[in-house]
């Protein structure tokens, strides 16, 4: 948008926004303060965005966690929001539920428990939020909708919160409600009742964790619903809110934002919205989707995290610009601080916010991001202008006596491509409570009385390396720290470590697909289960795996190569899929749905017996072995040219995998 800069104030949806008059911005607490700051955070999940992080070896895994959560080190995040796993594909993969079935409870599946504990270890005051994106099939009673039986859904969610406390000593502070229909008032009220009945009165509800409307209007019309909801959360609000949301007097949060490739433009997007979410929309918390890009980059929204950690096999990670942009606020203001009323836009573009702890400390954050260097992936960004300028800030009220401010600066330098992030400058001396800054385009400044800020640094991650060309896993882990096998990224279905106590032979320890019912999901999940692994650039490779079907007659499993899609697109994945079935047949297809058949015939395979499958793809031809003997050969494969390896099942069914191996060429 093009701003019309006026002397004094401009009204926007009832907000009073200060505009620097004659290039002087007044920072004053004399006439009152703005809203209470609730923090800046990151989101793990929605889905499986931290999948590869857990496979990093030390010390690199701890270094990554330090950059994210350690106070006065890196991003120093105030909030961690995690997915309440629902056994379904929710963007980049599937996260396991704590209740696969109605009579099943296990609060040690997945990695979100571990991540929350690691975050809390570094910052004991961190705010923890849970949100379900999807639900196990039993919650929907056969329908792809979780709210027809709100008492069941509420109990399911509350059980997760209770499990967090009882099994991990984690206090969940907020729980979100998100669905395609935006909100369900009956469910929200019942969730509040169930929380209170379970002794969780302190757990607050965010609703809807999606859009401002129609929930805002519903809160105004329904006092009981209003009493149940503490925060209105919006996803990708574009820094603006609506009048009805403001009228509710609820906390307003950007409960999911950013979702942008984490290069310098992504850093610029983050810098702009962190300030302007409050300046334009009075949002007191902003949460990045996602926390850390720890999933295969070729999956949807690759590298859309605050930093990148997608190579556990090499240990390489990259501290991207959004980490240091976050630090400009998080290291110098804490939840419970308060925004000044006098925040707003600079005369020549850009914005400023000011916060205080009401005990004499002041932090001012200024951004001058230009349009083309701060575009987020969504929503569309209207045009606006930013130019270099001198801006004078006048401190009044209780801040008038401040004599010195610490200065931190980030310069993107898009022209020279030599950025400088979170650089500590010499302290700034104030005269008569005033200071003037020469602000160039695409800069971020923090001026603060807080002296504890630091730019943390570790010994450097190892160099980047491709996924190993020769890779094996026999899944022989007696007490695995996580339920997932390293590097396998479940796209549909849940593949967990399994100990088969009835098998005294070589297959005691296996990887098992455990779901027998399609989950309740909001994406076009596949009808087949699949977990991908490896390097997307693999072309010529041999995949070998022992397989065990547990469904008599109807069972089916596959191994695959050159799988070209995952995440929300998994349903339309192409590749080379080698299937065997419990009815004694096999087929080879070029798609996950099994529609395009390249070869088929009799295999003699049956349920409740182990079979070794081997798939070789070289150039335009593919061949398969069953138990070491050729079953089919020279199937013509024209596309795709490259992709991941994979394992999976014909439907949602129990099946086991063991002795997985890949030998690949690029």
């Amino acid at each position: 948008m093009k701003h019309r800069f006026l002397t004094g104030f401009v009204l926007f949806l009832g907000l009073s926004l200060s505009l620097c008059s004659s290039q002087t911005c007044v920072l004053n607490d004399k006439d009152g303060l703005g809203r209470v700051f609730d923090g800046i955070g990151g989101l793990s999940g929605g889905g499986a965005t931290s999948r590869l992080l857990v496979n990093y070896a030390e010390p690199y895994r701890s270094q990554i966690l330090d950059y994210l959560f350690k106070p006065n080190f890196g991003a120093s995040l105030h909030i961690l929001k995690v997915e309440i796993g629902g056994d379904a594909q929710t963007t980049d993969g599937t996260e396991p539920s704590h209740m696969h079935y109605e009579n099943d409870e296990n609060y040690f599946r997945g990695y979100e428990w571990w991540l929350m504990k690691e975050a809390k270890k570094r910052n004991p005051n961190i705010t923890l939020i849970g949100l379900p994106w999807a639900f196990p099939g039993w919650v929907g009673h056969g329908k792809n909708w979780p709210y027809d039986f709100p008492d069941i859904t509420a109990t399911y969610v509350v059980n997760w919160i209770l499990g967090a406390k009882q099994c991990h000593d984690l206090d969940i502070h907020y729980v979100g409600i998100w669905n395609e229909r935006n909100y369900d008032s009956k469910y929200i009220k019942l969730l509040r009742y169930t929380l209170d009945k379970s002794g969780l009165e302190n757990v607050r509800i965010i609703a809807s964790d999606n859009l401002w409307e129609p929930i805002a209007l519903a809160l105004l019309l329904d006092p009981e619903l209003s009493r149940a909801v503490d925060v209105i959360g919006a996803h990708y609000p574009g820094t603006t809110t609506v009048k009805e949301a403001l009228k509710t007097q609820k906390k307003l949060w950007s409960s999911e934002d950013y979702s942008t490739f984490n290069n310098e433009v992504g850093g610029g997007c983050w810098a702009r919205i962190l300030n302007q979410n409050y300046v334009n929309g009075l949002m007191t918390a902003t949460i990045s989707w996602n926390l850390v890009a720890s999933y295969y980059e070729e999956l949807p929204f690759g590298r859309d995290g605050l930093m990148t950690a997608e190579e556990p096999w090499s240990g390489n990670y990259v501290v991207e610009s959004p980490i240091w942009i976050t630090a400009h606020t998080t290291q110098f203001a804490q939840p419970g601080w308060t925004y000044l009323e006098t925040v707003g836009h600079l005369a020549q573009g850009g914005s400023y916010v000011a916060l205080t702890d009401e005990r004499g400390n002041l932090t001012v954050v200024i951004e001058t991001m230009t349009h083309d260097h701060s575009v987020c992936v969504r929503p569309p960004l209207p045009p606006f202008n930013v130019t270099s300028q001198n801006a004078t800030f006048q401190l009044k009220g209780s801040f008038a006596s401040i004599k010195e401010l610490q200065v931190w600066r980030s310069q993107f330098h898009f022209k020279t491509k030599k950025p400088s992030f979170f650089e500590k400058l010499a302290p700034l001396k104030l005269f008569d409570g005033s200071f003037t800054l020469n602000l160039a385009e695409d800069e971020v400044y923090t001026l603060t009385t807080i002296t504890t800020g630091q730019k943390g640094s570790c010994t450097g991650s190892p160099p980047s390396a491709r996924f190993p060309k020769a890779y094996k896993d026999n899944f022989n882990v007696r007490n695995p720290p996580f339920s997932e096998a390293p590097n396998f990224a479940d796209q549909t279905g849940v593949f967990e470590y399994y100990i088969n106590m009835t098998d005294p032979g070589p297959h005691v320890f296996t990887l098992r697909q455990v779901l027998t019912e399609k989950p309740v999901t909001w994406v076009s999940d596949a009808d087949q289960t699949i977990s991908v692994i490896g390097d997307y650039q693999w072309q010529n490779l041999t995949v070998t795996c022992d397989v065990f079907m547990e469904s008599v007659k109807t069972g089916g499993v596959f191994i695959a190569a050159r799988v070209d899609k995952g995440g929300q697109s998994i349903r339309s994945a192409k590749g080379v899929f080698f299937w065997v079935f419990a009815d004694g047949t096999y087929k080879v297809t070029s798609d996950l749905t099994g529609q395009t058949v390249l070869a088929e015939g009799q295999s003699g395979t049956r349920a409740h017996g182990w079979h070794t499958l081997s798939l070789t793809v070289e150039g335009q031809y593919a061949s398969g072995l069953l138990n070491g003997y050729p079953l089919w050969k020279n199937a013509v494969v024209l596309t795709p040219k490259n992709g991941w390896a994979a394992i999976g099942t014909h439907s949602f069914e129990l099946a086991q995998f063991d002795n997985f191996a890949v030998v690949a060429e690029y």
Side-chain angles (χ1 to χ4, degrees):
M1 72 188 77
K2 292 185 181 292
H3 301 294
R4 295 179 59 197
F5 294 103
L6 309 174
T7 300
F9 298 93
V10 63
L11 293 180
F12 171 73
L13 292 177
L15 306 182
S16 294
L17 302 184
S18 296
L19 297 178
C20 295
S21 175
S22 301
Q23 289 296 86
T24 298
C25 308
V26 177
L27 304 177
N28 192 356
D29 61 350
K30 181 180 179 181
D31 297 324
L33 297 171
R35 294 196 171 202
V36 174
F37 175 59
D38 293 307
I40 296 172
L43 201 168
S44 173
T49 54
S50 301
R51 175 63 195 90
L52 298 176
L53 174 62
V54 298
N55 302 141
Y56 271 78
E58 295 294 353
Y60 310 116
R61 191 170 71 176
S62 288
Q63 291 173 4
I64 295 164
L65 293 165
D66 285 349
Y67 278 116
L68 293 168
F69 300 115
K70 186 177 179 180
N72 299 314
F73 189 83
S76 306
L77 293 171
H78 305 132
I79 299 169
L80 172 60
K81 181 177 179 180
V82 304
E83 177 176 358
I84 299 175
D87 288 342
Q89 167 64 245
T90 55
T91 296
D92 287 295
T94 296
E95 297 198 27
S97 169
H98 56 290
M99 297 179 70
H100 291 321
Y101 311 104
E102 195 166 3
N103 59 354
D104 162 62
E105 290 186 60
N106 184 329
Y107 299 97
F108 294 91
R109 295 185 184 120
Y111 36 83
E112 304 297 4
W113 314 106
W114 165 83
L115 185 60
M116 287 188 284
K117 287 189 287 188
E118 291 294 325
K120 187 177 178 182
K121 184 190 302 182
R122 288 160 174 79
N123 177 6
N125 297 318
I126 197 162
T127 298
L128 298 177
I129 304 172
L131 173 69
W133 271 255
F135 298 86
W138 64 268
V139 174
H141 281 261
K143 295 182 180 179
N144 195 45
W145 182 247
Y147 299 114
D148 286 345
F149 302 90
D151 54 333
I152 292 175
T153 305
T155 299
Y156 170 84
V157 171
V158 169
N159 282 349
W160 183 87
I161 299 171
L162 291 170
K165 182 62 176 178
Q166 294 166 1
C167 298
H168 302 283
D169 194 28
L170 292 168
D171 293 302
I172 305 300
H173 302 96
Y174 292 88
V175 62
I177 296 163
W178 180 90
N179 61 61
E180 291 176 339
R181 299 178 196 171
N182 195 27
Y183 78 98
D184 187 297
S185 60
K186 183 178 179 181
Y187 170 70
I188 293 171
K189 295 172 187 177
L190 187 57
L191 177 60
R192 180 71 271 163
Y193 169 79
T194 308
L195 287 166
D196 294 345
K197 186 180 69 172
S198 303
L200 298 169
E201 296 88 351
N202 292 330
V203 178
R204 306 301 182 190
I205 292 177
I206 305 169
S208 75
D209 207 330
N210 187 10
L211 300 171
W212 298 124
E213 297 175 304
I215 185 66
L217 181 59
L219 294 175
L220 293 171
L221 297 175
D222 187 337
E224 184 184 0
L225 182 64
S226 182
R227 286 192 294 271
V229 173
D230 298 275
V231 176
I232 304 177
H235 291 191
Y236 310 99
T239 77
T240 64
T241 185
V242 297
K243 288 186 289 187
E244 287 76 15
L246 292 167
K247 288 179 182 177
T248 67
Q249 296 298 304
K250 299 291 183 183
K251 289 178 177 291
L252 307 179
W253 288 6
S254 179
S255 53
E256 182 178 319
D257 216 328
Y258 180 62
S259 187
T260 299
F261 192 78
N262 58 21
N263 59 6
E264 270 61 64
V265 172
C269 153
W270 189 231
R272 178 176 53 79
I273 64 177
L274 284 183
N275 263 23
Q276 296 196 28
N277 274 350
Y278 186 78
V279 171
N280 298 336
L282 289 183
M283 287 167 263
T284 54
T286 297
I287 301 172
S288 165
W289 188 89
N290 49 70
L291 172 74
V292 53
S294 269
Y295 48 99
Y296 291 117
E297 188 170 333
E298 293 82 5
L299 290 169
F301 304 101
R303 267 186 60 185
D304 278 19
L306 296 178
M307 63 181 293
T308 304
E310 59 188 16
E311 291 186 14
W313 47 87
S314 72
N316 177 263
Y317 63 86
V318 183
V319 184
E320 312 281 5
S321 62
I323 290 289
W324 303 119
I325 296 304
T326 310
H328 272 280
T329 301
T330 54
Q331 290 201 22
F332 309 108
Q334 297 301 314
W337 282 45
T338 307
Y339 285 99
L340 303 191
E341 287 278 10
T342 47
V343 302
H345 294 280
L346 298 169
Q348 302 302 319
S351 65
Y352 65 97
V353 295
L355 304 101
T356 180
D357 63 355
E358 300 185 63
R359 292 182 293 182
N361 284 310
L362 174 69
T363 290
V364 183
V365 184
I366 303 163
E367 59 82 22
T368 59
M369 298 309 304
T370 57
H371 178 281
D372 292 352
H373 294 153
S374 66
V375 176
C376 302
V377 71
R378 51 188 158 165
L381 183 61
F384 62 85
N385 294 320
V386 178
T387 57
S388 300
Q389 59 195 298
N390 290 326
T392 298
F393 290 81
Q394 181 68 52
L395 276 55
K396 293 188 176 181
S398 65
F399 310 123
S401 60
I402 293 176
K403 303 298 184 186
E404 180 180 277
L405 291 171
Q406 307 299 310
V407 183
W408 293 81
R409 181 182 66 188
S410 290
Q411 296 178 306
F412 283 82
H413 287 309
F414 283 96
K415 290 183 179 179
T416 65
K417 297 184 179 180
K418 294 181 179 179
S420 172
F421 293 115
F422 205 56
E423 177 186 10
K424 193 176 192 305
L425 306 182
L428 181 66
K429 304 295 182 181
L430 275 63
F431 300 95
D432 296 326
S434 177
F435 63 91
T436 298
L437 292 177
N438 185 296
L439 300 172
E441 298 173 4
D442 299 323
E443 292 186 333
V444 180
Y445 276 88
T446 299
L447 299 103
T448 180
T449 56
I450 300 298
T451 60
T452 53
Q454 295 182 59
K455 185 172 185 177
S457 178
C458 296
T459 54
S461 68
S464 175
R466 305 292 288 270
F467 195 97
K469 290 190 291 184
Y471 182 83
K472 295 181 180 180
D473 195 339
N474 60 14
F475 312 121
N476 289 357
V477 184
R478 183 170 293 276
N479 295 300
F482 303 103
S483 56
E484 300 85 1
N487 306 319
F488 278 91
D490 299 350
Q491 300 303 295
T492 295
V494 174
F495 296 76
E496 297 180 345
Y497 279 115
Y498 179 65
I499 300 178
N500 189 344
M501 302 304 294
T502 64
D503 188 345
H507 299 294
V508 174
F509 298 93
T510 67
L511 195 66
R512 191 188 200 200
Q513 201 295 119
V514 298
L515 302 186
T516 59
E517 184 178 7
K518 195 171 183 179
V520 177
T521 180
W522 62 278
V523 300
S524 246
D525 217 342
D527 296 318
Q528 305 78 13
T529 74
I530 178 172
S531 188
V532 301
I533 187 171
D535 193 315
Y536 188 79
Q537 301 306 319
W538 279 345
Q539 297 180 5
N540 299 330
L541 67 159
T542 296
V543 184
T544 303
C545 191
D546 296 345
V547 299
F548 183 93
M549 294 172 278
E550 298 186 43
S551 298
V552 178
K553 295 185 179 180
T554 60
V557 297
F558 68 81
I559 62 174
R562 293 188 185 175
V563 178
D564 70 341
K565 292 180 183 177
Q568 298 174 105
S569 304
I570 189 63
R571 191 177 185 87
S572 60
K574 306 295 183 183
V576 183
F577 298 84
F578 176 17
W579 313 72
V580 294
F581 301 96
D583 66 359
T585 63
Y586 80 92
K587 69 177 177 179
V588 184
T589 70
S590 62
D591 58 336
L592 177 61
T593 59
Q595 299 302 306
T596 305
V597 178
L598 305 178
E600 60 185 334
Q602 296 296 312
S603 63
T605 51
R606 295 288 185 266
H608 300 295
W610 283 96
H611 304 282
T612 300
L613 304 184
S614 183
L615 167 65
T616 297
V617 183
E618 187 169 354
Q620 297 183 359
Y621 297 98
S623 301
L625 304 180
L626 173 64
N627 300 325
Y629 295 95
L631 183 63
W632 54 276
K633 61 182 179 179
N634 295 332
V636 177
V637 179
L638 299 179
T639 59
K641 302 295 185 182
N642 55 273
W644 296 291
I647 58 174
T649 63
H650 178 243
S651 62
F652 285 87
E653 60 187 271
L654 300 177
Q656 298 177 53
F657 303 84
D658 201 2
N659 297 321
F660 177 86
V662 175
V663 177
E665 298 176 12
Y666 294 105

